[in-house]
Amino acid sequence: MNPLKLFGTGRREQSRDTVGAQRHTVISGEVDVSHGPILYLENVTVSFDGFKALNELTLYIDDGELRCIIGPNGAGKTTMMDVITGKTRPDSGTAFFGQTMDLTRMSEYEIASVGIGRKFQKPTVFPRHTVFENLELAMRADKRVWPSLWGRLDGQQRDRITEVLETVMLTGQQALRAAELSHGQKQWLEIGMLLMQDPRVLLVDEPIAGMTHQETERTAELLTGLAGSRSVVVVEHDMAFVRSIARKVTVLHEGHVLAEGNMDEVQNHPAVIEVYLGG
Amino acid sequence: MPSKGLLLRILEHDTGGKIFLSLLAVVAVLVSVLNLAVPEGSPLHVSTYTVTLLGKYLCYALLAVALDLVWGYCGILSLGHAAFFALGGYCMGMYLMRQVGDRGVYGNPDLPDFMVFLNWTELPWYWFGFDQFWFTMLMVMLVPGVLALVFGWLAFRSRVTGVYLSIITQALTFALMLAFFRNEMGFGGNNGLTDFKELLGFNLQNDVTRVGLFLISALTLAVAYFVARYVVNSKLGRVVVAVRDAEDRARFIGYKVESFKLWIFVFSAMLAGLAGALYVPQVGIINPSEFSPLNSIELVVWVAVGGCGTLYGAVLGALLVNFAKTYFTGALPEVWLFALGTLFVVVTLFLPHGLVGLLKRRRKKATLNEAPT
């Protein structure tokens, strides 16, 4: 697959239009979103030693939407991301990427390479690599062994890294080891790595933990800017932040969806009030 | 033939490597000249015994570089790496046995002495081809490589990591040692393979052959160093370090972690096999004790003392510890194992980055002191 094929938002819109025109061919490695949703989770159950982390969870994420997922601790938010990214296999239920790709049968690296990127709750970067190298490693490219041995960065790829360095405001730090960054900068670097992967779906777990007010605002700007050309799923505890970016919010509770809608609908939902305020 | 520019580019930012390779070149030339051109009896003469000893050290250094690739860069602490070294050594030993021909004690032109002694009438199938040098050299790399491939594929696919992986590598080398001790295996059992006569027609007892083997060891070490440096400088090298530091993260950005681990493991095993093959003609024997678990642990100590994750640190550690070993086992034989144990504890506690780390820290401090305030 041409690594540059999915670069840039304009081209992607175009390809979506042609799919929308009912040209329904299955292309291997290409996600089929002709019915609207890009992620389909249906009746997913995951239990750990009898505890049901996910309980018949059914959730659809539309192509290009920005979805916030909230819920108390233990509601299953992280487990849901684990199922989507292949880290955890569901006991029952299905998880599909587009119409055709069965995520429960794919391994982590395959899921990543078809276009699902993930940012962890705790910022996870490669501490001994420089900021630049972190971005280079994340870049959408042929990630098999032999091409990695012979491959060299070309000008276009360097430009892309420079561009992302600017977006995440780490241009001055590109030669620093990632371990030397502040917590907020590490969060940014991880977001940058996510951008380098150029995924169709971004799963973002608590992106603003440890960020200053300005950094938070900038994150909100960035995430809302990405939506439209990509789907963005944000798990976050900070309600003010969720309110500032959310169009559609899903409340998870005890492993299934409690309520779904815009922020106001969700906040006035009786079941949500009961869970959050204890009745 | 790589251009000069390429070699220099590989060594960019590798001051330690430049120093090591220059020293290696100087020592290799100097030792050869002082052995061959300076007459015996002159105080400047270097004995053939010393030449062979140095050649042996260089093989150890190559083995240490191999371990550093998997341990220092990929975080796989293999406690069975001496097994790959011994397998390479056995391949070379088989070739040297076939070279003996009918000059053995029993004068059998086809069978090595130990087979005649066991009343075997024909050569086992796995000995075929080892009368050819090119086939032997192929096997020297392939046998350890294939073992590493099968073993690594099983282990990495099941996501065996950390101390568990170390334990099963240790079990691997132990199992091989027991197997090679058996006479029925056809590798000379307890006694191993020895009484070699010549290599490619060169008499192994000759000074010139000895110096030649020493020089080839030095050259192989240098070439292996360049190749290893190229690998760790490549994107593959950065992925391998990424796997060491944050395996899950590497997976979630789309790298098939198992393949990278397997690649570096197999590459390292091949280098170790090569080291073993160079070692055997110089020491004149290969037997199952080379598989002994202690050897693999000693190897880890060399790399830890030198400083892992730098390549030249592994070379430094292998040379220093083996010099010390030669000295101590001669002067105070009962002290050596205690000294080795203490060394490992001290290095682990006080020098997490080995001697190389210590030197780097010193230099950093010195530059800080010199810097104008």
Side-chain angles (χ1 to χ4, degrees):
Chain A
M1 197 168 64
N2 180 354
L4 296 173
K5 193 163 181 184
L6 293 175
F7 266 21
T9 55
R11 233 180 286 184
R12 178 164 307 149
E13 295 287 354
Q14 222 170 27
S15 72
R16 206 143 46 93
D17 287 346
T18 48
V19 176
Q22 301 304 313
R23 288 233 327 257
H24 214 112
T25 37
V26 175
I27 309 159
S28 106
E30 293 276 331
V31 54
D32 177 0
V33 293
S34 54
H35 289 247
I38 191 164
L39 273 179
Y40 297 77
L41 297 181
E42 288 173 340
N43 305 316
V44 174
T45 299
V46 174
S47 34
F48 300 114
D49 299 324
F51 168 71
K52 284 193 172 162
L54 292 181
N55 188 7
E56 300 280 318
L57 173 73
T58 298
L59 181 71
Y60 304 102
I61 306 290
D62 280 337
D63 188 29
E65 84 164 304
L66 173 71
R67 176 78 62 95
C68 286
I69 296 188
I70 59 175
N73 279 331
K77 301 177 302 261
T78 302
T79 310
M80 178 203 74
M81 291 206 174
D82 286 347
V83 168
I84 297 171
T85 52
K87 195 180 183 194
T88 303
R89 298 285 180 219
D91 301 329
S92 61
T94 56
F96 272 85
F97 182 45
Q99 300 272 310
T100 52
M101 284 186 250
D102 184 352
L103 295 172
T104 60
R105 291 157 150 263
M106 294 162 76
S107 55
E108 291 108 316
Y109 81 93
E110 286 170 328
I111 293 173
S113 60
V114 295
I116 297 183
R118 176 177 187 179
K119 190 205 143 317
F120 288 85
Q121 189 172 344
K122 186 171 160 261
T124 325
V125 294
F126 301 120
R128 311 261 297 166
H129 288 90
T130 64
V131 168
F132 186 92
E133 287 168 341
N134 266 278
L135 294 179
E136 181 212 355
L137 285 169
M139 182 162 47
R140 190 183 184 91
D142 193 338
K143 287 180 174 168
R144 287 170 304 166
V145 178
W146 289 104
S148 303
L149 183 61
W150 308 120
R152 300 179 68 84
L153 280 180
D154 60 34
Q156 213 167 359
Q157 290 173 320
R158 277 183 189 282
D159 292 347
R160 172 86 185 128
I161 294 175
T162 314
E163 194 185 308
V164 170
L165 277 170
E166 270 165 33
T167 312
V168 297
M169 298 180 298
L170 288 171
T171 305
Q173 284 79 26
Q174 60 166 305
L176 278 187
R177 287 195 173 183
E180 296 168 53
L181 298 179
S182 73
H183 190 82
Q185 285 175 320
K186 279 182 194 157
Q187 295 270 42
W188 272 104
L189 176 57
E190 204 180 355
I191 292 171
M193 289 165 75
L194 208 50
L195 296 177
M196 291 303 301
Q197 288 177 66
D198 197 34
R200 280 303 287 273
V201 175
L202 292 85
L203 304 174
V204 191
D205 205 347
E206 299 201 13
I208 60 159
M211 280 191 180
T212 63
H213 186 67
Q214 281 97 333
E215 285 171 332
T216 304
E217 260 178 23
R218 182 128 175 80
T219 309
E221 232 169 74
L222 187 66
L223 292 176
T224 45
L226 283 169
S229 59
R230 298 138 219 261
S231 311
V232 183
V233 180
V234 182
V235 165
E236 186 52 68
H237 283 301
D238 189 320
M239 284 303 157
F241 179 71
V242 172
R243 180 170 277 282
S244 74
I245 63 169
R247 289 154 212 184
K248 195 170 175 187
V249 178
T250 298
V251 185
L252 285 193
H253 179 59
E254 292 178 345
H256 64 270
V257 175
L258 189 69
E260 209 164 75
N262 68 37
M263 195 66 187
D264 291 326
E265 285 166 17
V266 161
Q267 273 184 327
N268 296 321
H269 196 284
V272 177
I273 295 172
E274 189 173 315
V275 166
Y276 269 89
L277 302 174
Chain B
M1 190 71 199
S3 68
K4 213 174 180 180
L6 176 69
L7 293 185
L8 281 177
R9 213 171 58 214
I10 290 174
L11 285 191
E12 226 184 336
H13 312 300
D14 181 17
T15 318
K18 281 180 201 146
I19 296 173
F20 150 62
L21 287 168
S22 322
L23 280 179
L24 181 68
V26 170
V27 169
V29 171
L30 206 63
V31 166
S32 314
V33 170
L34 291 183
N35 175 267
L36 295 176
V38 176
E40 252 173 273
S42 154
L44 285 176
H45 177 76
V46 172
S47 72
T48 305
Y49 170 78
T50 311
V51 172
T52 299
L53 195 66
L54 291 174
K56 205 174 90 173
Y57 292 165
L58 294 181
C59 297
Y60 288 149
L62 178 55
L63 176 59
V65 168
L67 181 75
D68 197 20
L69 281 173
V70 290
W71 184 32
Y73 289 88
C74 199
I76 302 168
L77 176 53
S78 165
L79 287 180
H81 240 58
F84 304 122
F85 179 82
L87 284 174
Y90 264 99
C91 289
M92 180 53 91
M94 287 159 83
Y95 168 77
L96 295 173
M97 284 313 262
R98 297 300 309 272
Q99 290 294 292
V100 172
D102 59 5
R103 286 166 295 177
V105 180
Y106 295 106
N108 188 316
D110 294 321
L111 295 188
D113 278 350
F114 73 89
M115 290 187 192
V116 181
F117 184 76
L118 290 171
N119 288 322
W120 291 14
T121 50
E122 55 183 281
L123 211 58
W125 62 267
Y126 46 81
W127 274 73
F128 282 104
F130 279 98
D131 50 345
Q132 299 291 325
F133 186 72
W134 66 266
F135 180 81
T136 306
M137 286 320 289
L138 199 66
M139 288 299 130
V140 156
M141 311 276 276
L142 270 186
V143 172
V146 169
L147 176 69
L149 186 73
V150 173
F151 179 86
W153 187 75
L154 292 169
F156 301 142
R157 195 189 54 142
S158 317
R159 304 213 178 155
V160 180
T161 52
V163 72
Y164 300 101
L165 190 83
S166 302
I167 291 170
I168 58 170
T169 53
Q170 180 100 102
L172 170 78
T173 192
F174 191 65
L176 282 169
M177 179 177 74
L178 295 183
F180 274 75
F181 263 127
R182 290 158 39 93
N183 279 327
E184 303 82 64
M185 277 284 280
F187 295 107
N190 211 358
N191 299 318
L193 310 173
T194 186
D195 287 330
F196 308 133
K197 304 282 190 241
E198 55 193 34
L199 173 69
L200 285 173
F202 294 99
N203 186 340
L204 283 175
Q205 306 309 319
N206 243 335
D207 284 2
V208 181
T209 314
R210 293 287 175 128
V211 171
L213 282 169
F214 163 73
L215 285 176
I216 291 170
S217 305
L219 188 68
T220 311
L221 177 60
V223 172
Y225 187 90
F226 272 112
V227 176
R229 179 62 66 195
Y230 176 82
V231 168
V232 300
N233 282 351
S234 72
K235 187 179 166 203
L236 183 146
R238 289 192 285 280
V239 175
V240 160
V241 173
V243 167
R244 179 194 71 188
D245 292 342
E247 189 169 327
D248 271 346
R249 178 79 270 188
R251 246 187 215 115
F252 286 121
I253 56 176
Y255 291 102
K256 192 177 179 188
V257 166
E258 292 71 30
S259 304
F260 283 85
K261 284 184 173 178
L262 195 57
W263 194 93
I264 199 91
F265 194 61
V266 170
F267 176 62
S268 164
M270 287 174 146
L271 281 187
L274 197 58
L278 286 165
Y279 172 84
V280 166
Q282 302 192 65
V283 296
I285 183 167
I286 174 83
N287 62 31
S289 68
E290 292 296 338
F291 285 108
S292 118
L294 191 65
N295 283 21
S296 297
I297 293 171
E298 260 195 68
L299 164 60
V300 170
V301 179
W302 306 340
V303 178
V305 167
C308 69
T310 57
L311 296 180
Y312 53 82
V315 173
L316 179 73
L319 298 180
L320 282 183
V321 177
N322 280 295
F323 271 119
K325 183 178 182 176
T326 306
Y327 173 77
F328 274 113
T329 47
L332 303 154
E334 62 280 2
V335 179
W336 169 243
L337 276 182
F338 293 103
L340 186 70
T342 316
L343 192 64
F344 193 44
V345 173
V346 168
V347 166
T348 315
L349 287 180
F350 301 108
L351 296 173
H353 300 292
L355 290 172
V356 168
L358 185 74
L359 290 175
K360 272 187 188 162
R361 217 160 51 200
R362 278 273 163 82
R363 209 168 47 192
K364 220 178 234 174
K365 236 182 226 167
T367 45
L368 279 183
N369 288 342
E370 278 167 23
T373 44

